[in-house]
Amino acid sequence: MRGLVQGVGFRPFVYRQARELGLSGFVRNDSGGVVIEIEGPPDQLSRFRRCLKAHAPRLARIDATAQVDLPASGDLGFVISASHGDAPSATLISPDIAVCDDCLREMQDPADRRFGYPFINCTNCGPRYTIVWRTPYDRSHTSMRDFVMCPECAREYHDPLDRRFHAQPVACPACGPRLILHDGRVELTGVDAIAAAQAALREGQIVALRGLGGFHLAVDAHNDAAVRRLRERKLRAEKPLALMAPDVEVVRRYAMVSSFEAQLLTDVTRPIMILQRRERGARVAPSVAFDHACLGFMLPYTPLHHLLLRDVFDALVLTSGNLCEEPIAIANDEALRRLSGVADLFLLHDREILARCDDSVVRVSAGRRRLLRRARGFVPRPVYLSHPTARPILATGAELKSTVAVSRQAEVFLSQHIGDLDNPAAFAFFQECTAHLCRLLEVEPELLACDLHPEYLSTKWALNQTRIPVVGIQHHHAHLASVLAESNRSERAIGIILDGTGYGTDGTIWGGEILVGDAADFERFAWLEPVPLPGGAMAIRQPWRMGVAYLHYAFGERCLSQAWPFADHLGTNERETLVTMLERRLHSPLTTSCGRLFDGVAALLGICGRNTFEAQAAIALEMAATIRGAGHHRRCSAAEIPGTGRGPLAFAWLIRDLMERRSQGAAIKELARDFHLIVAELFIGSAVAARSETAINVAALSGGVYQNRFFFEYMHRRLLEEGFDVVTHGLVPTNDGGIALGQVVIADARSRAHA
Ligand code: ZN
Ligand code: ZN
Ligand code: FE
């Protein structure tokens, strides 16, 4: 049997089934999965096969079963035999799993030998991916190798009927990892350490907490001064902070939680869920998320989280342990060094983290789970392609929200969220992560795939690997291929790819594109009319610059005679300089970006003029459009929209219309909402035109703009109404975190075409 069958209690499960049915034989792990030899009367054998399917352990996942008949040996008894590790590895490593109910019960039972023990785990729960160095998944290949099991733990580990049979991280207070509280003066361990950390949190101190995939910074979510201090020290001005609450009922006091959202919150992956704030609900400190309409909540997933929160806090801020933009810290000395200016005290432990892994972030849109950040709980689960790649491929992703991907046959392993590579520490993590993934999967890449952008560090790194051929892949083509691949679609599709930034085949910056194609190739069918990006990358951080660019695009030189309320920090000279810059295209590369359009309109409507974090202006525009009282969706139809079809899509009329209505006193929320709908209809109209030309009815949606739930849901619904077969992301992010998957399938298709 192949699939996720190791480290999930599969062999003891097989053992119990075989024993109960009185069958003989053996079960063992090998690097291809699990091998079972089973002997007995035919009817008992078919019962055994049915049981394997029906009652497999909750974390197991059987992807393939092969069966051969053997002559009966007459042996009696059933055994679990030693692992064979010589065949090439095809086994899957499990993601880290939230602590299970059985372990929680034991941890809360004063009579249990693991009472209050923060590292309790079993075959159904606990760390996996973050503690493994290489396959097969055996204790000697994990960071638990440093801990010698005590006789009691060893007995459980070797007893096939025990819940901890071959649970590699098995441990207890006598033999396992321990907590150490560090505040620069004293060191405390165990229960005292937890009590001291709770006391410090109650006093408004900032605690650095070593977790599963790295450090968190924790602070009392009701102490505004403490949260502000955390923001100052962490250099994180405005981006909302994640919260942890003890259970779903507590989360409901603060936010709206649908039954589907509750299911995802309590799922073993325990992601941060982006939830709508409850209007007259309980409040956290204002500085947790300022005026954001949403809050990010997760539930405890390690035993330590439960111990820390229980009966003391109904909400803690729990944000990644780093300075703004850097990767999360994982080692004790690293945290003490990097976070010394941020945390007041450190709650450390001595089980090493081998793979850095942030919390995953999920938002439900159009009734689907959408991943904004894919990391802990999801990695290293593969995405399955409809056919195997011809050879192992390593794709290096993009630049922001970077991830890498490695293919092994039909499986593509997308790495955890790495971060923004322009940060040197993140680039080091990129290299570390790439090497780790290849080692773990025992894959030696034979082909590299990278973005076309010559300045991306991931591209430069790929081009420096001289031993292996490299394929450069257009960014938005990769977006299209990514959404098609995760949905197992191989037919041609109309990709409506709405994104921030991507290097185009013509050297301009793309981002508002209709691409018709598949993994093998694409045609650029339509795009937003190009507009200069005044000051290049500066215009991304300063949406007011885009506001000027769109104003100039809509009104030409006449824009100077207009009011610029969104940029009133600029004097007359500065305005004239900017307009000259735009007219002569000085430091102003052309862009068709849809993300910039959202930014620019947020500025023009006076909603947000600067981005202190990615997509801040676009998020503010979405909030304005969905604010209470923004009215029901006005029906808007493609027929009202001029200029849809093939080629550049003009939208100067839209900017003029918004500005005119604004000067007549129209409500900002209505303008924001209409803008969303009209942009959607502009692309829907063009997709309809593409369909009539090509007879393709599949519409594939990808790109960062679809993180906007209001826009995504409207687009999704309207495309269905137009009769399209709509393909959207569910397994990988719609932002650049999903790019590497698309790069793998395109590189594979190209290498086949040339073979
Ligand atoms: Zn457990
Ligand atoms: Zn022990
Ligand atoms: Fe992108």
Side-chain angles (χ1 to χ4, degrees):
M1 308 190 111
R2 290 177 53 162
L4 187 42
V5 289
Q6 290 188 12
V8 292
F10 197 74
R11 286 173 304 160
F13 155 73
V14 171
Y15 176 88
R16 280 193 298 271
Q17 301 296 329
R19 284 277 177 116
E20 270 169 33
L21 295 169
L23 300 169
S24 62
F26 66 82
V27 56
R28 71 158 193 251
N29 277 349
D30 72 7
S31 44
V34 160
V35 176
I36 305 169
E37 195 174 300
I38 191 91
E39 177 170 336
D43 55 328
Q44 291 297 84
L45 289 181
S46 25
R47 283 182 65 189
F48 175 77
R49 272 194 294 267
R50 279 199 303 275
C51 285
L52 285 191
K53 281 209 187 90
H55 308 299
R58 66 171 184 152
L59 301 180
R61 188 191 138 143
I62 300 163
D63 292 323
T65 308
Q67 189 178 314
V68 276
D69 290 334
L70 298 171
S73 71
D75 288 346
L76 292 177
F78 192 88
V79 293
I80 296 175
S81 50
S83 299
H84 277 220
D86 39 2
S89 181
T91 318
L92 301 178
I93 302 268
S94 164
D96 298 279
I97 300 294
V99 57
C100 75
D101 291 342
D102 290 332
C103 286
L104 272 185
R105 233 183 330 268
E106 289 171 350
M107 188 180 78
Q108 285 155 13
D109 175 5
D112 194 277
R113 67 191 192 90
R114 293 191 179 85
F115 176 60
Y117 183 55
F119 304 95
I120 189 168
N121 66 81
C122 72
T123 35
N124 297 320
C125 74
R128 297 287 187 277
Y129 177 61
T130 55
I131 59 163
V132 188
W133 182 245
R134 64 183 197 82
T135 44
Y137 175 65
D138 276 331
R139 191 168 171 113
S140 60
H141 295 152
T142 72
S143 52
M144 287 305 292
R145 64 182 292 173
D146 305 335
F147 300 92
V148 179
M149 279 185 271
C150 71
E152 261 303 273
C153 285
R155 190 194 55 72
E156 294 169 331
Y157 182 88
H158 291 293
D159 176 1
L161 297 177
D162 195 280
R163 200 172 90 246
R164 297 198 167 84
F165 176 73
H166 281 211
Q168 306 305 344
V170 70
C172 77
C175 68
R178 51 182 73 216
L179 275 185
I180 309 137
L181 182 101
H182 215 297
D183 73 349
R185 296 182 308 258
V186 288
E187 284 200 357
L188 298 171
T189 59
V191 186
D192 297 339
I194 293 169
Q198 286 171 326
L201 287 167
R202 268 198 307 259
E203 285 164 17
Q205 296 198 52
I206 298 166
V207 177
L209 196 71
R210 196 183 201 195
L212 268 186
F215 274 81
H216 278 123
L217 290 162
V219 74
D220 182 354
H222 294 287
N223 187 330
D224 198 52
V227 178
R228 284 178 194 275
R229 201 175 322 120
L230 172 64
R231 284 192 175 279
E232 271 163 37
R233 293 188 189 170
K234 195 177 139 82
L235 308 177
R236 178 149 151 171
E238 294 172 23
K239 192 175 175 184
L241 298 164
L243 296 159
M244 182 175 275
D247 57 49
V248 178
E249 288 322 304
V250 175
V251 176
R252 283 189 205 280
R253 288 190 220 143
Y254 296 91
M256 315 286 285
V257 186
S258 70
S259 58
F260 183 45
E261 286 165 334
Q263 187 192 322
L264 297 177
L265 266 174
T266 51
D267 185 89
V268 292
T269 58
R270 291 291 154 96
I272 297 172
M273 296 280 311
I274 306 297
L275 300 167
Q276 197 73 25
R277 244 188 237 244
R278 196 178 273 284
E279 270 202 27
R280 268 184 282 280
R283 296 251 167 262
V284 286
S287 54
V288 169
F290 299 104
D291 52 0
H292 267 257
C294 295
L295 290 173
F297 266 106
M298 63 183 145
L299 298 184
Y301 55 86
T302 68
L304 179 59
H305 294 150
H306 285 274
L307 293 168
L308 200 61
L309 264 81
R310 200 177 50 199
D311 304 331
V312 181
F313 299 101
D314 77 338
L316 281 180
V317 165
L318 213 60
T319 181
S320 40
N322 53 9
L323 293 180
C324 192
E325 310 299 328
E326 287 183 356
I328 183 168
I330 54 173
N332 287 340
D333 53 352
E334 177 194 8
L336 289 168
R337 190 177 66 244
R338 281 173 53 196
L339 303 177
S340 61
V342 184
D344 298 306
L345 72 172
F346 290 81
L347 197 49
L348 309 173
H349 64 70
D350 54 1
R351 184 180 68 203
E352 292 309 317
I353 298 169
L354 299 181
R356 207 180 291 274
C357 206
D358 281 277
D359 295 314
S360 295
V361 183
V362 164
R363 188 180 192 187
V364 173
S365 296
R368 287 197 80 174
R369 180 187 71 191
R370 307 255 297 165
L371 286 162
L372 299 178
R373 184 164 79 193
R374 187 179 179 278
R376 178 188 48 77
F378 293 91
V379 179
R381 254 195 254 162
V383 173
Y384 294 87
L385 304 180
S386 47
H387 57 81
T389 55
R391 41 186 174 161
I393 298 169
L394 166 64
T396 61
E399 173 97 340
L400 302 179
K401 298 176 192 270
S402 157
T403 61
V404 300
V406 174
S407 77
R408 186 177 73 183
Q409 308 291 336
E411 302 160 332
V412 181
F413 297 86
L414 193 65
S415 77
Q416 65 269 41
H417 167 82
I418 294 171
D420 299 348
L421 297 188
D422 51 0
N423 180 290
F427 185 63
F429 177 27
F430 161 86
Q431 292 169 284
E432 167 192 316
C433 188
T434 303
H436 186 64
L437 208 54
C438 291
R439 179 177 52 240
L440 212 54
L441 300 170
E442 296 180 61
V443 163
E444 190 73 50
E446 291 171 23
L447 185 63
L448 284 170
C450 68
D451 199 275
L452 280 185
H453 202 304
E455 293 305 316
Y456 280 1
L457 289 174
S458 56
T459 305
K460 290 181 174 171
W461 182 88
L463 294 173
N464 277 335
Q465 312 301 305
T466 46
R467 290 175 303 109
I468 320 171
V470 186
V471 188
I473 286 156
Q474 203 282 319
H475 187 91
H476 302 102
H477 186 205
H479 269 298
L480 170 61
S482 168
V483 68
L484 292 176
E486 72 150 273
S487 320
N488 276 310
R489 301 296 195 107
S490 46
E491 69 260 52
R492 289 170 72 75
I494 298 169
I496 309 177
I497 312 300
L498 305 181
D499 200 31
T501 301
Y503 197 81
T505 52
D506 59 359
T508 69
I509 299 164
W510 294 6
E513 316 295 315
I514 293 196
L515 306 182
V516 177
D518 55 17
D521 75 291
F522 72 96
E523 184 211 354
R524 191 185 188 200
F525 181 85
W527 55 91
L528 285 178
E529 210 160 50
V531 166
L533 202 62
M538 247 195 310
I540 298 175
R541 287 189 300 275
Q542 300 173 337
W544 62 264
R545 287 176 176 271
M546 288 318 297
V548 176
Y550 293 116
L551 210 57
H552 180 260
Y553 163 66
F555 295 97
E557 251 185 273
R558 278 190 300 134
C559 72
L560 277 169
S561 57
Q562 298 225 328
W564 288 21
F566 57 92
D568 45 18
H569 59 288
L570 297 180
T572 314
N573 284 344
E574 284 162 303
R575 292 180 191 200
E576 279 171 4
T577 310
L578 253 173
V579 170
T580 311
M581 212 170 131
L582 286 166
E583 302 222 313
R584 300 199 193 146
R585 301 258 171 82
L586 298 168
H587 307 293
S588 302
L590 287 177
T591 186
T592 61
S593 166
C594 188
R596 293 294 84 72
L597 178 58
F598 274 74
D599 277 4
V601 168
L604 287 178
L605 296 182
I607 293 166
C608 182
R610 69 210 160 88
N611 278 336
T612 67
F613 59 90
E614 207 209 353
Q616 184 175 9
I619 292 169
L621 190 63
E622 176 188 358
M623 267 164 48
T626 53
I627 203 165
R628 228 172 128 87
H632 293 291
H633 295 180
R634 187 176 70 104
R635 284 300 296 234
C636 184
S637 91
E640 298 172 31
I641 309 290
T644 65
R646 189 182 255 285
L649 305 172
F651 60 95
W653 58 271
L654 168 58
I655 304 292
R656 285 195 291 265
D657 181 55
L658 290 173
M659 294 314 282
E660 202 167 298
R661 286 170 63 196
R662 188 181 178 194
S663 67
Q664 289 160 358
I668 296 298
K669 59 193 177 192
E670 273 169 33
L671 297 178
R673 189 202 54 202
D674 287 355
F675 168 76
H676 277 75
L677 306 194
I678 291 166
V679 171
E681 295 296 344
L682 188 63
F683 284 102
I684 293 165
S686 296
V688 169
R691 175 170 63 187
S692 2
E693 260 191 52
T694 61
I696 294 170
N697 193 43
V698 179
L701 310 187
S702 185
V705 170
Y706 294 109
Q707 294 175 104
N708 180 326
R709 177 160 72 176
F710 176 64
F711 183 77
F712 172 72
E713 290 185 342
Y714 181 80
M715 194 79 169
H716 186 251
R717 183 168 56 84
R718 283 282 297 117
L719 286 166
L720 289 176
E721 282 172 10
E722 295 288 341
F724 281 100
D725 176 3
V726 187
V727 180
T728 64
H729 284 286
L731 300 177
V732 308
T734 191
N735 58 44
D736 287 0
I739 282 280
L741 170 63
Q743 292 176 337
V744 164
V745 289
I746 294 169
D748 184 53
R750 295 238 186 109
S751 79
R752 283 165 198 279
H754 295 155

